[in-house]
Protein backbone atom coordinates (compact mmCIF):
# COMPACT_ATOMS: atom_id res chain seq x y z
CA UNK A 1 0.00 0.00 0.00
CA UNK A 2 1.48 3.35 -1.01
CA UNK A 3 1.88 6.24 1.39
CA UNK A 4 -0.59 8.36 -0.58
CA UNK A 5 -3.44 5.82 -0.22
CA UNK A 6 -3.42 6.40 3.55
CA UNK A 7 -4.85 9.87 2.93
CA UNK A 8 -8.55 10.37 2.24
CA UNK A 9 -9.68 11.19 -1.29
CA UNK A 10 -10.35 14.81 -0.29
CA UNK A 11 -6.73 15.32 0.75
CA UNK A 12 -5.43 13.85 -2.49
CA UNK A 13 -7.77 16.06 -4.53
CA UNK A 14 -6.57 19.15 -2.64
CA UNK A 15 -2.96 18.15 -3.30
CA UNK A 16 -3.69 17.68 -7.01
CA UNK A 17 -5.43 21.07 -7.18
CA UNK A 18 -2.47 22.66 -5.38
CA UNK A 19 -0.02 21.26 -7.97
CA UNK A 20 -2.26 22.37 -10.84
CA UNK A 21 -2.49 25.84 -9.29
CA UNK A 22 1.29 26.14 -9.21
CA UNK A 23 1.59 24.97 -12.84
CA UNK A 24 -1.14 27.32 -14.03
CA UNK A 25 0.28 30.25 -12.07
CA UNK A 26 3.75 29.74 -13.57
CA UNK A 27 2.32 29.43 -17.09
CA UNK A 28 0.40 32.67 -16.60
CA UNK A 29 3.55 34.38 -15.32
CA UNK A 30 5.65 33.11 -18.25
CA UNK A 31 3.03 34.30 -20.79
CA UNK A 32 2.77 37.71 -19.13
CA UNK A 33 6.45 38.40 -18.49
CA UNK A 34 8.34 35.98 -20.76
CA UNK A 35 8.97 38.57 -23.48
CA UNK A 36 10.05 41.20 -20.93
CA UNK A 37 12.53 38.75 -19.41
CA UNK A 38 13.91 37.92 -22.85
CA UNK A 39 14.34 41.65 -23.55
CA UNK A 40 16.08 42.08 -20.18
CA UNK A 41 18.59 39.32 -20.95
CA UNK A 42 19.07 40.34 -24.60
CA UNK A 43 22.19 42.50 -23.91
CA UNK A 44 23.76 39.53 -22.13
CA UNK A 45 22.96 37.29 -25.11
CA UNK A 46 24.50 39.81 -27.52
CA UNK A 47 27.66 40.06 -25.41
CA UNK A 48 27.97 36.26 -25.17
CA UNK A 49 27.55 35.88 -28.95
CA UNK A 50 30.09 38.67 -29.57
CA UNK A 51 32.64 37.13 -27.21
CA UNK A 52 32.20 33.67 -28.72
CA UNK A 53 32.65 35.09 -32.25
CA UNK A 54 35.74 36.98 -31.07
CA UNK A 55 37.35 33.78 -29.77
CA UNK A 56 36.38 31.82 -32.89
CA UNK A 57 37.49 34.60 -35.26
CA UNK A 58 40.85 35.21 -33.61
CA UNK A 59 43.73 33.22 -35.21
CA UNK A 60 44.70 30.26 -33.04
CA UNK A 61 48.34 31.40 -32.45
CA UNK A 62 47.05 34.67 -30.91
CA UNK A 63 44.56 32.79 -28.70
CA UNK A 64 47.30 30.45 -27.47
CA UNK A 65 49.63 33.43 -26.86
CA UNK A 66 46.95 35.21 -24.78
CA UNK A 67 46.28 31.98 -22.83
CA UNK A 68 50.02 31.59 -22.19
CA UNK A 69 50.35 35.20 -20.99
CA UNK A 70 47.32 34.93 -18.69
CA UNK A 71 48.59 31.60 -17.34
CA UNK A 72 52.04 33.04 -16.68
CA UNK A 73 50.56 36.13 -15.01
CA UNK A 74 48.39 33.97 -12.76
CA UNK A 75 50.70 31.06 -11.94
CA UNK A 76 54.23 32.39 -12.64
CA UNK A 77 55.15 28.81 -13.48
CA UNK A 78 56.85 27.68 -16.70
CA UNK A 79 55.50 24.17 -16.21
CA UNK A 80 51.86 25.27 -16.00
CA UNK A 81 52.31 27.74 -18.88
CA UNK A 82 53.97 25.11 -21.12
CA UNK A 83 51.28 22.60 -20.17
CA UNK A 84 48.55 25.08 -21.14
CA UNK A 85 50.18 25.74 -24.54
CA UNK A 86 50.58 22.03 -25.28
CA UNK A 87 47.02 21.31 -24.16
CA UNK A 88 45.52 23.91 -26.49
CA UNK A 89 47.70 22.70 -29.36
CA UNK A 90 46.41 19.16 -28.74
CA UNK A 91 42.81 20.43 -28.63
CA UNK A 92 43.31 22.08 -32.03
CA UNK A 93 45.07 19.03 -33.48
CA UNK A 94 42.19 16.73 -32.53
CA UNK A 95 39.57 19.05 -34.08
CA UNK A 96 37.97 20.35 -30.88
CA UNK A 97 39.03 24.00 -31.22
CA UNK A 98 35.62 25.53 -32.05
CA UNK A 99 33.79 23.65 -29.30
CA UNK A 100 36.52 24.57 -26.81
CA UNK A 101 36.28 28.27 -27.71
CA UNK A 102 32.48 28.15 -27.28
CA UNK A 103 32.92 26.49 -23.87
CA UNK A 104 35.63 29.01 -22.92
CA UNK A 105 33.27 31.86 -23.85
CA UNK A 106 30.35 30.71 -21.70
CA UNK A 107 32.57 29.72 -18.73
CA UNK A 108 34.35 33.10 -18.83
CA UNK A 109 31.07 35.06 -18.97
CA UNK A 110 29.57 32.88 -16.25
CA UNK A 111 32.60 33.40 -14.00
CA UNK A 112 32.53 37.18 -14.46
CA UNK A 113 28.79 37.23 -13.70
CA UNK A 114 29.24 35.09 -10.59
CA UNK A 115 32.06 37.35 -9.37
CA UNK A 116 30.03 40.52 -10.05
CA UNK A 117 26.96 39.13 -8.23
CA UNK A 118 28.57 36.85 -5.64
CA UNK A 119 31.20 39.13 -4.06
CA UNK A 120 28.69 41.92 -3.15
CA UNK A 121 26.30 39.32 -1.71
CA UNK A 122 29.17 37.77 0.29
CA UNK A 123 30.14 41.22 1.63
CA UNK A 124 26.50 41.89 2.55
CA UNK A 125 26.34 38.57 4.42
CA UNK A 126 29.56 39.36 6.29
CA UNK A 127 28.24 42.78 7.35
CA UNK A 128 24.86 41.57 8.63
CA UNK A 129 24.29 38.31 10.55
CA UNK A 130 20.58 38.39 9.72
CA UNK A 131 21.38 38.51 6.00
CA UNK A 132 23.65 35.49 6.46
CA UNK A 133 20.90 33.53 8.23
CA UNK A 134 18.48 34.28 5.36
CA UNK A 135 20.84 33.78 2.40
CA UNK A 136 22.64 30.63 3.63
CA UNK A 137 19.58 28.32 3.25
CA UNK A 138 19.03 29.71 -0.27
CA UNK A 139 22.64 28.85 -1.15
CA UNK A 140 22.12 25.36 0.32
CA UNK A 141 19.12 24.83 -1.97
CA UNK A 142 21.04 26.15 -5.01
CA UNK A 143 23.87 23.69 -4.36
CA UNK A 144 21.78 20.62 -3.55
CA UNK A 145 18.77 20.80 -5.88
CA UNK A 146 19.34 18.70 -9.04
CA UNK A 147 20.24 20.90 -11.98
CA UNK A 148 17.50 19.38 -14.14
CA UNK A 149 14.88 20.69 -11.67
CA UNK A 150 15.73 24.37 -12.09
CA UNK A 151 16.25 23.88 -15.83
CA UNK A 152 12.45 23.42 -16.08
CA UNK A 153 11.38 26.97 -15.04
CA UNK A 154 14.36 28.56 -16.83
CA UNK A 155 13.47 26.84 -20.12
CA UNK A 156 9.75 27.57 -19.66
CA UNK A 157 10.51 31.28 -19.24
CA UNK A 158 13.28 31.77 -21.80
CA UNK A 159 13.09 28.75 -24.11
CA UNK A 160 16.08 26.89 -25.51
CA UNK A 161 19.33 28.77 -26.08
CA UNK A 162 22.48 30.32 -24.68
CA UNK A 163 20.94 32.56 -22.01
CA UNK A 164 18.91 29.82 -20.24
CA UNK A 165 22.07 27.68 -20.23
CA UNK A 166 24.12 30.55 -18.83
CA UNK A 167 21.55 31.21 -16.09
CA UNK A 168 21.45 27.51 -15.17
CA UNK A 169 25.26 27.40 -14.96
CA UNK A 170 25.33 30.58 -12.83
CA UNK A 171 22.71 29.21 -10.40
CA UNK A 172 24.85 26.12 -9.85
CA UNK A 173 28.22 27.91 -9.74
CA UNK A 174 27.34 31.01 -7.68
CA UNK A 175 27.24 29.65 -4.07
CA UNK A 176 31.02 29.00 -3.58
CA UNK A 177 32.07 32.58 -4.36
CA UNK A 178 29.34 33.94 -2.04
CA UNK A 179 30.23 31.59 0.82
CA UNK A 180 34.00 32.07 0.63
CA UNK A 181 33.76 35.87 0.29
CA UNK A 182 31.61 35.92 3.42
CA UNK A 183 34.01 33.56 5.22
CA UNK A 184 37.13 35.50 4.16
CA UNK A 185 35.81 38.82 5.42
CA UNK A 186 34.61 37.30 8.70
CA UNK A 187 38.05 35.73 9.28
CA UNK A 188 39.85 39.09 9.20
CA UNK A 189 41.55 39.62 12.56
CA UNK A 190 39.60 41.96 14.85
CA UNK A 191 42.86 43.53 16.06
CA UNK A 192 43.58 44.67 12.52
CA UNK A 193 40.12 46.23 12.26
CA UNK A 194 40.54 47.95 15.63
CA UNK A 195 43.89 49.35 14.48
CA UNK A 196 42.21 50.70 11.33
CA UNK A 197 39.50 52.30 13.47
CA UNK A 198 42.15 53.84 15.70
CA UNK A 199 43.58 55.56 12.62
CA UNK A 200 40.14 56.97 11.85
CA UNK A 201 39.20 54.70 8.94
CA UNK A 202 35.55 54.80 7.86
CA UNK A 203 33.51 51.63 7.28
CA UNK A 204 34.09 51.99 3.53
CA UNK A 205 37.85 52.41 4.01
CA UNK A 206 37.99 49.40 6.34
CA UNK A 207 36.09 47.28 3.81
CA UNK A 208 38.14 48.19 0.72
CA UNK A 209 41.47 48.91 2.41
CA UNK A 210 41.62 46.14 5.01
CA UNK A 211 38.91 43.44 4.85
CA UNK A 212 38.75 42.72 1.10
CA UNK A 213 42.56 42.72 0.58
CA UNK A 214 43.04 40.33 3.51
CA UNK A 215 40.15 38.14 2.30
CA UNK A 216 41.50 37.86 -1.27
CA UNK A 217 42.97 34.34 -0.84
CA UNK A 218 39.55 33.06 0.27
CA UNK A 219 37.81 34.99 -2.49
CA UNK A 220 40.11 33.45 -5.11
CA UNK A 221 39.41 30.02 -3.63
CA UNK A 222 35.74 30.81 -4.25
CA UNK A 223 36.51 31.85 -7.83
CA UNK A 224 38.36 28.56 -8.30
CA UNK A 225 35.38 26.53 -7.05
CA UNK A 226 32.96 28.57 -9.15
CA UNK A 227 34.95 27.82 -12.33
CA UNK A 228 35.10 24.12 -11.48
CA UNK A 229 31.35 23.92 -10.89
CA UNK A 230 30.63 25.88 -14.08
CA UNK A 231 32.74 23.43 -16.10
CA UNK A 232 30.91 20.52 -14.52
CA UNK A 233 27.65 21.94 -15.94
CA UNK A 234 28.91 22.07 -19.55
CA UNK A 235 27.27 18.77 -20.57
CA UNK A 236 23.97 19.59 -18.82
CA UNK A 237 23.85 23.05 -20.44
CA UNK A 238 24.34 21.45 -23.87
CA UNK A 239 20.92 19.79 -23.43
CA UNK A 240 19.21 23.18 -23.71
CA UNK A 241 21.07 24.51 -26.70
CA UNK A 242 24.42 25.74 -25.37
CA UNK A 243 27.21 25.09 -27.87
CA UNK A 244 30.53 23.74 -26.67
CA UNK A 245 32.29 20.58 -25.61
CA UNK A 246 29.13 19.25 -24.00
CA UNK A 247 27.36 18.81 -27.36
CA UNK A 248 29.76 16.13 -28.71
CA UNK A 249 29.70 14.39 -25.32
CA UNK A 250 25.90 14.31 -25.45
CA UNK A 251 26.03 13.01 -29.03
CA UNK A 252 28.53 10.36 -27.97
CA UNK A 253 26.20 9.18 -25.19
CA UNK A 254 23.24 9.00 -27.60
CA UNK A 255 25.13 7.12 -30.32
CA UNK A 256 27.66 5.18 -28.21
CA UNK A 257 30.69 6.94 -29.74
CA UNK A 258 33.29 6.10 -27.12
CA UNK A 259 36.23 7.92 -28.76
CA UNK A 260 34.23 11.12 -29.34
CA UNK A 261 33.00 11.18 -25.74
CA UNK A 262 36.45 10.48 -24.28
CA UNK A 263 38.23 13.12 -26.38
CA UNK A 264 35.77 15.91 -25.60
CA UNK A 265 35.51 14.83 -21.97
CA UNK A 266 39.30 15.03 -21.69
CA UNK A 267 39.21 18.52 -23.25
CA UNK A 268 36.84 19.61 -20.46
CA UNK A 269 39.21 18.05 -17.91
CA UNK A 270 42.17 19.90 -19.45
CA UNK A 271 40.34 23.24 -19.17
CA UNK A 272 39.41 22.44 -15.57
CA UNK A 273 43.02 21.57 -14.65
CA UNK A 274 44.40 24.76 -16.26
CA UNK A 275 41.83 27.00 -14.52
CA UNK A 276 42.34 25.15 -11.24
CA UNK A 277 46.14 25.36 -11.22
CA UNK A 278 46.25 29.01 -12.28
CA UNK A 279 43.61 30.23 -9.79
CA UNK A 280 45.00 28.12 -6.94
CA UNK A 281 48.57 29.25 -7.54
CA UNK A 282 47.49 32.89 -7.80
CA UNK A 283 45.54 32.57 -4.53
CA UNK A 284 48.58 31.06 -2.78
CA UNK A 285 50.79 33.87 -4.10
CA UNK A 286 48.33 36.42 -2.73
CA UNK A 287 48.31 34.67 0.64
CA UNK A 288 52.11 34.57 0.75
CA UNK A 289 52.22 38.26 -0.16
CA UNK A 290 49.83 39.14 2.66
CA UNK A 291 51.73 37.04 5.19
CA UNK A 292 55.24 38.21 4.34
CA UNK A 293 54.42 41.77 3.28
CA UNK A 294 56.35 41.53 -0.01
CA UNK A 295 55.88 39.86 -3.43
Amino acid sequence: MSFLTEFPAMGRRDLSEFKQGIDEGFRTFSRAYGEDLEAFFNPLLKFLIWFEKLLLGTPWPIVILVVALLTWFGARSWKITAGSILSFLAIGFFGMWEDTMATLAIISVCTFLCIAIGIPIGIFMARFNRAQSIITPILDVMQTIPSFVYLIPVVMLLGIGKVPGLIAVCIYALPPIVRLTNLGIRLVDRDVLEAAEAFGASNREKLFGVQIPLALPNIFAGVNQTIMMALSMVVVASMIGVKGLGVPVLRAISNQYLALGLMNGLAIVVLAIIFDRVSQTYGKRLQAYRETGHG
Side-chain angles (χ1 to χ4, degrees), residues 188-269:
V188 173
D189 196 337
R190 288 191 175 275
D191 293 338
V192 177
L193 292 177
E194 288 173 4
E197 286 176 4
F199 281 103
S202 65
N203 285 335
R204 182 185 176 85
E205 288 169 339
K206 282 193 295 181
L207 177 64
F208 289 100
V210 179
Q211 289 175 299
I212 290 179
L214 289 174
L216 276 178
N218 287 86
I219 293 172
F220 266 91
V223 172
N224 172 271
Q225 291 303 306
T226 291
I227 294 169
M228 294 302 103
M229 294 182 79
L231 277 165
S232 71
M233 280 287 288
V234 165
V235 178
V236 175
S238 69
M239 295 180 179
I240 55 172
V242 178
K243 292 180 181 177
L245 292 165
V247 175
V249 173
L250 201 61
R251 193 163 68 246
I253 293 169
S254 304
N255 298 285
Q256 297 182 354
Y257 296 149
L258 178 61
L260 181 68
L262 281 175
M263 295 303 296
N264 286 273
L266 286 172
I268 296 171
V269 171

Side-chain angles (χ1 to χ4, degrees), residues 48 51-53 55-56 88 91 96-111 162 166 169 227-228 230-235 237-238 242-249 264-265 267-272 275:
L48 183 56
F51 189 51
E52 186 178 318
K53 285 182 177 177
L55 288 177
L56 289 169
F88 273 84
I91 284 169
M96 298 180 290
W97 185 264
E98 290 187 4
D99 288 333
T100 301
M101 291 301 104
T103 296
L104 204 56
I106 194 165
I107 295 304
S108 300
V109 173
C110 171
T111 302
K162 293 179 185 295
L166 184 67
V169 173
I227 294 169
M228 294 302 103
L231 277 165
S232 71
M233 280 287 288
V234 165
V235 178
S238 69
V242 178
K243 292 180 181 177
L245 292 165
V247 175
V249 173
N264 286 273
I268 296 171
V269 171
V270 164
L271 287 180
F275 279 122

